[in-house]
Amino acid sequence: MLFDSFDLVSALTTLVACLVSVALLVAVSQQLWQLRWAATRDKSCKLPIPKGSMGFPLVGETFHWILQGSNFQSSRREKYGNVFKTHLLGRPLIRVTGAENIRKILMGEHHLVSAEWPRSTRMLLGPNSLTNSIGDIHRHKRKVFAKLFSQEALDTYLPKIQLVIQDTLRVWSSSPDPINVYCEAQKLTFRMAIRVLLGFRLSDEELNFLFRVFQQFVENVFSLPVDIPFSGYRRGMRARETLLKSLEKAIQEKLQNTQGKDYTDALDVLIESGKEHGNELTMQELQDGTLELIFAAYATTASASTSLIMQLLKHPNVLEKLREELRSHGILHNGCVCEGALRVDTVTTLPYLDCVIKELLRLYSPISGGYRTVQQTFELDGFQIPKGWSVLYSIRDTHDTAPVFKDVDVFDPDRFGQDRTEDKDGRFHYLPFGGGVRNCLGKQLAKLFLKTLAIELASMSRFELATRTFPKVMPVPVVHPSSELKVRFYGLDSNQNEIVTETEAMLGATV
C-alpha cells in the first residue's frame, strides 16, 4: 500500500511537471511570437507600432475572431483604441476604425497602400479576378466591369430581377411550413446571379448542384491558408475546381447560343467589352470573372436581404409607410405593383425607400471592411503603420462609432431624410460599399435588387415571425442570423387579403 501511494504521488508529480513545462513552453513561444512582430517596426520612424496582441504562434487570434464575432473588434477597440494590431488568417494585421483614419487609407491607394486580400481569398477567387488586380491592370478591369453596372445595363436587368423575386415569393408563400429566410435568401441571390447576370440556362437540378458547391466555396474563402487534407482551404480549392469545370461548360454553351444575338446580360457585356478594348478574354479570365460576379452578388446581397426582412418584421410602421409611398407614386394600385411601373429611374427616386435601404446598410453592413497592404510606412492616430503589414479598415465599427449618427443601435430610416443631416456631415462616416478607387462597382445593382425586393414584399406578401423571438445577429464572415430566422409567408390577392388554398378552405368549413 505504501508503494502504491508513492507511485501515485510520483505520477502526479511527473504530470504536474509536464504541465508546467508545457505552460512555460507556450508562454515562451508566445513571447517570442510577439517579439517577432515587434521587430518589424520601421526603425526610421520614431512612432511606436499600435498596441494589441498577436495571439498564438501561426494561428494568431483567428479563432478568437471567429468565436467572438462583433465582440472581437469592440473589446479590442475599447482596450487599445481605434487603431490596434492583431494576427488573423495567417497574416499580421492592423485594424482601423474612424472616418479620418479610413479617409487616409482609402485616399492613399497606389502610394500608401495597395489592395491585397488574405491568401486564401486571393487563391480561391483566382489570379485573374478584379479583386486581386492592381495598378494599370486593375484600372483596365474596372473600365470593363463598370459597363456591367451602367444605367443601360440596370435597365436590362430590372425586369428579370423582378420576375426572379416574384417567383421566389410565390414559392415562399405556397410553403405550408415557415421558411429559413437566410438559407432561402442565399438561393434567391444565387439564382439571380446565374440567371440574370450570367444568363445561364441551367436545369433546376444543375442549379441546385452548383449552389451546394458554391456554398462550400464561400464557407472557406476566409480560411487559414493551410493546404492539408480536410482543411477548409483544401475544401475551398476543390469546390473552386468543380465550379470552374461547370462554369466552363455553361460559358461554352452560352457562346454558341448567343452568336449574332443581342447582348442582354453581364457576361455578354463582359465578353464584348474585352473585344472592344482589343484584348479578348481567355476562358480562364472568363471563368474567374464569372466566379467573382457570382461571389459579389451572392453572400453580401443574401445577407442584406435577410436583414431587410428582419427589420420589416420588427418595424411594421416602416413597411406601412413604404406602402404609402408606393401608392402615392402610382406603383401600388389595389395592393399590387402596376404592370410596367417598375423602372430604374422610378425605383431610384423613391425617397423613403432610399432611406430604408441606406439605414439597413448602415446598421447591418454585410461586410466588416476591406484589406490593404502597406507600401510605405505612414502615421495613424499617433502610431506608425509599418511597410509590409496588412490593414483592415472597419466599415461596421466606423458606422457604430460615427459621432454624426444619433441612437446608433436604433433602426431609423428617417435619419437619412431631408429634414436631418446625419448622412451629410462627413464623407467617410458612412461607407457600406467602401470608398476611394476601389469602391464597390456593383453597389447600384445591389441597391436596385434590395429596393425591388422591398417593393415586392410590400405588395404581394404578408409575413410574420414563426418563432417567439428574433435570432441574434453574427457578423462573420457576413452579417447573418446566429440561428434560423423562421418566417411564415402568406400570398395576398390584389386587395391585400390572404389567399386561402382549397384545402385550407375545406378545413376551415369543417371547424
Side-chain angles (χ1 to χ4, degrees):
M1 183 68 70
L2 181 62
F3 287 107
D4 289 342
S5 300
F6 178 79
D7 290 341
L8 179 61
V9 171
S10 178
L12 289 174
T13 302
T14 302
L15 177 60
V16 170
C18 289
L19 292 175
V20 170
S21 299
V22 170
L24 287 173
L25 181 61
V26 169
V28 170
S29 62
Q30 193 170 8
Q31 285 299 315
L32 291 174
W33 177 250
Q34 305 294 328
L35 291 172
R36 181 253 186 274
W37 296 111
T40 62
R41 70 179 299 273
D42 188 337
K43 306 299 190 300
S44 65
C45 179
K46 295 182 180 180
L47 296 172
I49 63 174
K51 300 175 182 178
S53 170
M54 304 303 285
F56 294 98
L58 301 180
V59 298
E61 293 194 298
T62 300
F63 295 115
H64 295 82
W65 172 61
I66 293 172
L67 295 174
Q68 288 184 270
S70 58
N71 289 333
F72 177 85
Q73 170 78 359
S74 59
S75 63
R76 282 153 182 76
R77 189 183 69 243
E78 290 174 6
K79 186 175 182 179
Y80 303 119
N82 281 342
V83 180
F84 66 87
K85 69 175 184 286
T86 182
H87 194 282
L88 299 176
L89 300 175
R91 66 195 300 183
L93 185 69
I94 293 173
R95 294 197 65 154
V96 177
T97 297
E100 283 306 307
N101 292 330
I102 289 178
R103 181 196 63 78
K104 191 166 186 176
I105 291 170
L106 293 180
M107 301 309 291
E109 185 77 33
H110 300 315
H111 66 278
L112 289 182
V113 298
S114 62
E116 185 179 8
W117 287 82
R119 184 174 183 274
S120 57
T121 311
R122 299 198 309 271
M123 296 301 292
L124 287 170
L125 287 180
N128 298 295
S129 65
L130 177 65
T131 302
N132 287 332
S133 63
I134 59 174
D136 290 339
I137 296 176
H138 174 256
R139 281 186 282 269
H140 168 71
K141 284 184 178 290
R142 277 188 73 91
K143 288 181 181 178
V144 173
F145 273 79
K147 289 191 174 184
L148 311 185
F149 308 108
S150 65
Q151 179 71 29
E152 183 181 359
L154 295 178
D155 285 330
T156 303
Y157 303 151
L158 180 55
K160 302 173 187 177
I161 290 173
Q162 186 181 10
L163 283 175
V164 169
I165 291 174
Q166 287 176 342
D167 288 344
T168 298
L169 290 181
R170 288 191 189 99
V171 171
W172 292 359
S173 299
S174 64
S175 172
D177 301 314
I179 68 160
N180 177 356
V181 171
Y182 184 52
C183 179
E184 293 299 322
Q186 289 176 316
K187 293 178 183 177
L188 167 60
T189 55
F190 184 77
R191 191 179 304 116
M192 187 271 291
I194 293 293
R195 294 199 165 147
V196 176
L197 287 184
L198 305 178
F200 289 162
R201 300 173 180 176
L202 302 178
S203 66
D204 288 341
E205 184 179 353
E206 290 174 314
L207 196 65
N208 291 333
F209 169 74
L210 267 186
F211 175 70
R212 290 193 297 271
V213 177
F214 192 76
Q215 276 188 310
Q216 187 177 61
F217 170 82
V218 171
E219 287 170 1
N220 296 290
V221 162
F222 295 99
S223 57
L224 279 171
V226 180
D227 190 11
I228 59 175
F230 309 110
S231 68
Y233 180 75
R234 177 71 64 87
R235 290 195 298 271
M237 290 302 293
R238 285 179 177 173
R240 171 181 162 82
E241 292 171 6
T242 303
L243 286 169
L244 291 184
K245 289 179 182 177
S246 297
L247 291 175
E248 181 177 7
K249 179 183 175 183
I251 292 170
Q252 292 283 17
E253 291 177 356
K254 192 171 190 302
L255 288 172
Q256 294 172 3
N257 293 330
T258 58
Q259 289 181 355
K261 295 185 179 181
D262 293 333
Y263 296 97
T264 59
D265 56 57
L267 183 55
D268 289 332
V269 177
L270 186 63
I271 294 168
E272 280 304 294
S273 294
K275 293 178 181 178
E276 289 174 8
H277 288 84
N279 186 21
E280 189 168 346
L281 300 178
T282 66
M283 177 55 70
Q284 182 64 58
E285 288 175 320
L286 285 174
Q287 286 172 301
D288 282 353
T290 301
L291 185 59
E292 188 171 25
L293 276 175
I294 302 172
F295 178 74
Y298 168 76
T300 54
T301 314
S303 166
S305 299
T306 304
S307 298
L308 173 64
I309 293 173
M310 185 183 294
Q311 292 310 302
L312 292 179
L313 282 167
K314 286 184 174 181
H315 304 279
N317 60 310
V318 171
L319 182 59
E320 186 51 41
K321 191 171 179 179
L322 180 58
R323 284 179 175 142
E324 289 175 4
E325 179 177 71
L326 297 176
R327 293 188 196 104
S328 67
H329 283 77
I331 294 175
L332 272 188
H333 181 66
N334 288 334
C336 62
V337 177
C338 299
E339 186 175 351
L342 283 196
R343 299 188 306 274
V344 173
D345 56 352
T346 304
V347 174
T348 54
T349 53
L350 294 169
Y352 188 68
L353 175 59
D354 191 56
C355 290
V356 170
I357 301 306
K358 281 183 176 178
E359 176 67 346
L360 181 79
L361 295 174
R362 181 198 69 82
L363 192 57
Y364 295 102
S365 178
I367 60 172
S368 61
Y371 285 91
R372 298 292 186 270
T373 295
V374 181
Q375 291 186 319
Q376 64 177 17
T377 301
F378 63 97
E379 179 270 337
L380 276 184
D381 262 10
F383 297 104
Q384 65 161 279
I385 310 301
K387 179 180 178 180
W389 278 58
S390 294
V391 173
L392 174 60
Y393 69 87
S394 179
I395 292 174
R396 230 177 272 137
D397 287 278
T398 296
H399 289 177
D400 290 345
T401 59
V404 299
F405 296 126
K406 311 303 179 187
D407 301 320
V408 292
D409 295 329
V410 177
F411 183 76
D412 179 14
D414 289 322
R415 75 171 74 245
F416 290 99
Q418 292 183 349
D419 297 335
R420 292 162 68 175
T421 60
E422 291 185 26
D423 64 322
K424 302 175 181 66
D425 297 335
R427 181 177 172 187
F428 292 96
H429 292 295
Y430 179 74
L431 60 163
F433 296 101
V437 298
R438 285 186 176 267
N439 68 88
C440 177
L441 278 173
K443 62 183 179 182
Q444 298 303 332
L445 175 63
K447 289 193 287 187
L448 181 64
F449 179 90
L450 292 171
K451 289 179 179 181
T452 306
L453 176 60
I455 290 171
E456 294 297 339
L457 285 168
S459 66
M460 66 179 295
S461 288
R462 181 172 71 81
F463 44 103
E464 61 186 22
L465 188 67
T467 54
R468 291 185 177 181
T469 59
F470 287 95
K472 293 182 179 179
V473 173
M474 298 292 291
V476 178
V478 294
V479 169
H480 67 283
S482 60
S483 57
E484 292 184 354
L485 173 61
K486 289 283 192 177
V487 176
R488 191 182 299 277
F489 283 79
Y490 302 93
L492 300 176
D493 64 18
S494 61
N495 292 310
Q496 291 289 303
N497 297 313
E498 182 183 332
I499 297 175
V500 181
T501 65
E502 183 179 352
T503 302
E504 290 171 333
M506 292 176 61
L507 287 173
T510 60
V511 175

